[in-house]
Amino acid sequence: MQEIGVAIIGAGAIALANHLPGLALSPQARVVALCDSDRATLEKARQQTGVEALYTDYREAVAHDGVDAVIVATPNFLHPPIVHAAVAARKHVLCEKPLALNFPDALAIHRAAESAGVRHMTAFTYRFVPAMRYMKHLVDAGDIGTPFHFRAQRFQDWGDRAMGWRQVRKLAGSGEMGDMLSHRIDYGHHLIGPIASLVAQMKNLLAARGGQPSDVDDWIAMLCDFRPPPTPGQSAAQRSAAPASSAPTGVLESTKFATGRGMGHRGQDTVEVNGSAGTIVYSTQKPLELWIGKLGDADLRKIDIPREFLVWPGSPRDPLQGDPLATFRYDQGFEFIDAILNQRPCRPSFREGAMAQAVMDAAIVSSDQRRWVDVDYADLA
Ligand SMILES: NC(=O)c1ccc[n+]([C@@H]2O[C@H](COP(=O)([O-])OP(=O)(O)OC[C@H]3O[C@@H](n4cnc5c(N)ncnc54)[C@H](O)[C@@H]3O)[C@@H](O)[C@H]2O)c1
C-alpha cells in the first residue's frame, strides 16, 4: 500500500479539529511531522497524534524524511512563503483559506504549484457540506432553470471578543471577508460562475478587541454581477463580453455583529439561489436538508439529501456517525490524499482559492474608493 507522509504546519485549532480527523479517513495517509512556532501548541498536537518529529521552523518540517505532502494551517500571512517552500521541494500542498493576503500572491502560489506538477488544494471546507453538494447537483441539472440570484448570509455574534492574529490586517489580509465570506465567494463561483463585477462596503466597527488594536472589517456586504451563463458554442472571451443585463446577480453579507445569533456552527449561514423554474435554500445549521420551491408553489418545502450525497465520493466516512455539523469537514482531508494517490487535480484547487482572492481584492478597492469594480482573474477565468 502506497503511503503518503504528511507534515502539518500550524498545529492550532483547525489542524486538530479538521485536518487530523480528515487524514484519518485515508488508510494511506500518515502524519510524519508537526510544526508550530508555539511550543505548547506543538506539545498538545504531539500528545493528540503521537507524532514525535516536531519542528518550530517550517523549512525543517518540509525537509523531514518521508514528507510527501504538506498541510498549511498557519495565520494567513504565512501561507505564501510556506507554500512556496513546500512546492519548491516538490511536496503536494493543502493550504487553508484565504490562500494569501492578495491576488498577485495567490496567483503566484497557483502558478508555482502548477509548474512543479504537485497536487494543490484550497481548504474551502464548505464544498463538502452534503446539502451544498446536492444544491450544486440540482442547479447543474437545470432543476431551478436559469439562475437569477445568488444570496449568502453569514451572521455571527462575536461581540468584542479578541480574535488574535485575525484582527490584524497585515497578518490576516482582511477580517470577516477572508475569514468567512471567502467560503461563500467560492461557493458562488462553484454554483453560478465567476463574479464579473461588484460593489462592496467593508466596515471596521471595533478599533480594539481584547485591549489590542483591530484594523480589519467586522462587516462586509457585496452586490455583484456574475458572468452571464454560457450559450452553446460561446467562447470564454465572448462570454465575458456578453451584456450584463443577462447576468445573474449576487448579494452577500457577513458580520461578526449579529447580536444574539450565536457563534461558529450556530450562527446563521444560509445560501439561496433563485432561478427561472425554482428556488433552493440551504443552511449550514441543517447540513442534511434543503428547502425547495418550484414555479407556482405557494411556499418552500423541505427535502432530505439523497444518500449518495451524504459523503464525498469514495470517502469511507459513515454519515450516520458523529455530529453532521462537524463530520462533513473530514472529507476534505480524504479528497486531498485521494487526489494525490490517483494523480488527479484536487477539488477545489489553488485556482479556486486564487479566484476568490481576486474577488476580495476587488472588494477592498470598491469599498475604499466607493465604486463598482470589475474583477480581474488574470488568465484563471
Ligand atoms: N477551512 C475552514 O473552514 C477554516 C476554519 C478555521 C480556520 N481556517 C484557516 O486556518 C488557518 C489557521 O486558523 P486557526 O483557526 O487554526 O488558527 P490558530 O491560531 O488556532 O492556529 C494557527 C497556528 O499557527 C501557528 N503558527 C504561527 N506562526 C507559525 C510559523 N511561523 N510556523 C508554524 N506555525 C506557526 C500558531 O502558533 C498557531 O498554533 C487560517 O488561515 C484560517 O483562515 C480555515
Side-chain angles (χ1 to χ4, degrees):
M1 185 172 74
Q2 186 190 352
E3 195 170 83
I4 308 295
V6 180
I8 293 184
I9 300 179
I14 208 63
L16 302 189
N18 284 7
H19 295 304
L20 286 175
L23 293 172
L25 287 177
S26 300
Q28 287 98 331
R30 195 160 69 89
V31 181
V32 294
L34 296 170
C35 171
D36 201 287
S37 53
D38 180 66
R39 288 198 181 273
T41 305
L42 205 47
E43 175 55 22
K44 189 175 161 209
R46 185 190 70 81
Q47 285 173 15
Q48 188 164 330
T49 58
V51 173
E52 296 293 342
L54 307 177
Y55 297 95
T56 51
D57 183 328
Y58 65 81
R59 294 168 202 86
E60 292 175 18
V62 167
H64 178 83
D65 208 23
V67 170
D68 303 298
V70 170
I71 292 181
V72 182
T74 59
N76 305 341
F77 75 103
L78 288 164
H79 295 174
I82 298 174
V83 171
H84 281 297
V87 163
R90 294 279 192 278
K91 312 296 180 188
H92 309 290
V93 188
L94 164 56
C95 182
E96 271 300 345
K97 45 52 59 180
L99 268 192
L101 301 190
N102 56 58
F103 177 62
D105 286 356
L107 184 63
I109 285 178
H110 174 255
R111 286 182 175 156
E114 280 285 295
S115 322
V118 296
R119 302 294 146 207
H120 50 85
M121 180 168 177
T122 306
F124 281 133
T125 312
Y126 294 85
R127 289 269 190 127
F128 298 84
V129 176
M132 297 182 87
R133 291 187 47 235
Y134 191 46
M135 189 171 185
K136 165 75 176 155
H137 166 81
L138 291 175
V139 170
D140 284 357
D143 219 61
I144 59 154
T146 305
F148 292 146
H149 307 304
F150 173 83
R151 209 166 286 117
Q153 298 179 325
R154 184 71 174 112
F155 297 163
Q156 294 186 78
D157 176 4
W158 275 62
D160 60 1
R161 263 188 81 207
M163 300 195 301
W165 59 266
R166 281 181 168 81
Q167 69 191 51
V168 183
R169 192 168 177 172
K170 70 173 192 293
L171 306 182
S174 64
E176 188 62 10
M177 180 169 70
D179 200 23
M180 292 293 148
L181 205 69
S182 56
H183 287 289
R184 293 294 162 266
I185 292 167
D186 172 64
Y187 191 62
H189 284 169
H190 187 47
L191 203 64
I192 309 284
I195 292 173
S197 58
L198 60 86
V199 63
Q201 191 170 6
M202 302 166 73
K203 270 200 175 161
N204 168 267
L205 294 156
L206 270 190
R209 289 175 174 274
Q212 297 296 320
S214 174
D215 62 353
V216 298
D217 49 298
D218 300 302
W219 171 83
I220 162 142
M222 185 189 290
L223 196 65
C224 62
D225 266 340
F226 289 85
R227 284 195 192 153
T231 53
Q234 195 181 33
S235 69
Q238 286 167 328
R239 190 180 172 205
S240 31
S245 56
S246 62
T249 60
V251 182
L252 299 86
E253 184 185 6
S254 199
T255 183
K256 292 226 175 333
F257 283 112
T259 309
R261 278 193 176 273
M263 280 176 52
H265 303 354
R266 281 172 289 281
Q268 178 172 344
D269 184 11
T270 53
V271 170
E272 174 163 345
V273 61
N274 314 116
S276 55
T279 282
I280 310 177
V281 177
Y282 143 83
S283 164
T284 299
Q285 287 155 327
K286 304 270 172 59
L288 304 184
E289 63 186 53
L290 287 174
W291 289 79
I292 295 198
K294 288 298 186 61
L295 196 65
D297 282 353
D299 203 351
L300 303 178
R301 72 197 140 77
K302 178 171 90 81
I303 58 160
D304 293 326
I305 306 306
R307 170 100 199 170
E308 65 265 34
F309 287 89
L310 293 183
V311 291
W312 193 253
S315 166
R317 184 172 63 80
D318 178 352
L320 303 177
Q321 290 297 311
D323 176 359
L325 273 174
T327 51
F328 71 81
R329 298 160 206 266
Y330 309 157
D331 286 348
Q332 177 177 267
F334 173 83
E335 162 63 13
F336 179 49
I337 301 297
D338 194 60
I340 295 170
L341 289 169
N342 291 297
Q343 300 175 22
R344 60 164 177 83
C346 300
R347 298 165 295 172
S349 72
F350 283 176
R351 175 175 174 269
E352 285 76 16
M355 286 180 63
Q357 201 89 46
V359 173
M360 292 192 276
D361 276 20
I364 291 171
V365 172
S366 170
S367 184
D368 286 351
Q369 301 181 7
R370 303 178 74 80
R371 66 177 176 87
W372 278 84
V373 174
D374 291 337
V375 183
D376 181 359
Y377 296 103
D379 56 357
L380 294 185

